[in-house]
Amino acid sequence: MKTLKHIFLTILAIGILQSCIVSEKPNMEFFSNSKYDFKGAKFASINVPMVLAKSYIKKALKESGESEETINLVKKASKIKVLTVTNGSKEMLEDYSQYLKDHHYEEWATIKHDGDDVNIRVKQDGDAIKNMLITVGSKEKELVFVDVKGNFTTNDISKMISSVSGK
């Protein structure tokens, strides 16, 4: 029984640590489609293990002076995936937007910040929001995609957008 427990704990630890590894393969469905021609775009992806990361994220947000709404939103997140793309094209971003529309994501906000465009889309079922996608596009053809899964309300997202758009 003790050996079984050690094996289980070892497998669990490997699973948690493995999810921290940065990969050059896309971790989001649209970008992992091998039929799409990404024309020289390079990817870096990471799955953030929330068990380990929540306390660090909340601490960093508090230190940087983020609003309480944003910090409370992190508490409700259950999984975060981050994908960065270098040499991304405007066409690829447009195709991604169409993909999200086809998969029932609603655009909630587009915010301009220091020359970058930040776009927030959600997949909603009644008042429950289980998935939020944040896209950050810069002038230098660099894109960042953040896929946040959790149990959010429309009010949570609205408060977060209001607090961020004032900065």
Side-chain angles (χ1 to χ4, degrees), residues 76-166:
K76 294 183 175 191
S78 60
K79 186 173 186 179
I80 298 176
K81 291 192 271 185
V82 178
L83 175 67
T84 62
V85 181
T86 53
N87 275 342
S89 68
K90 187 173 180 99
E91 178 187 357
M92 179 180 68
L93 195 54
E94 289 169 359
D95 291 343
Y96 176 68
S97 293
Q98 185 59 48
Y99 169 84
L100 293 178
K101 285 179 188 174
D102 294 345
H103 286 82
H104 311 292
Y105 282 88
E106 298 174 38
E107 187 170 334
W108 270 40
T110 299
I111 302 165
K112 292 210 180 273
H113 180 68
D114 292 337
D116 296 337
D117 292 326
V118 179
N119 186 279
I120 299 171
R121 293 181 177 95
V122 300
K123 195 169 200 176
Q124 190 172 347
D125 184 19
D127 281 344
I129 295 173
K130 300 291 184 190
N131 200 307
M132 177 175 50
L133 293 171
I134 303 168
T135 306
V136 181
S138 72
K139 296 174 188 173
E140 293 86 33
K141 293 188 177 182
E142 292 182 7
L143 305 166
V144 178
F145 301 93
V146 182
D147 183 357
V148 183
K149 295 190 186 318
N151 194 13
F152 311 108
T153 65
T154 54
N155 195 30
D156 293 332
I157 307 296
S158 294
K159 284 182 180 178
M160 188 268 305
I161 291 170
S162 295
S163 71
V164 174
S165 60

Side-chain angles (χ1 to χ4, degrees), residues 58 61-62 65-75 156 159-160 163 167:
K58 288 188 287 188
L61 289 172
K62 284 180 183 176
E66 280 298 325
S67 68
E68 201 60 37
E69 288 83 8
T70 305
I71 294 168
N72 288 335
L73 203 62
V74 170
K75 292 177 184 176
D156 293 332
K159 284 182 180 178
M160 188 268 305
S163 71
K167 293 184 178 181

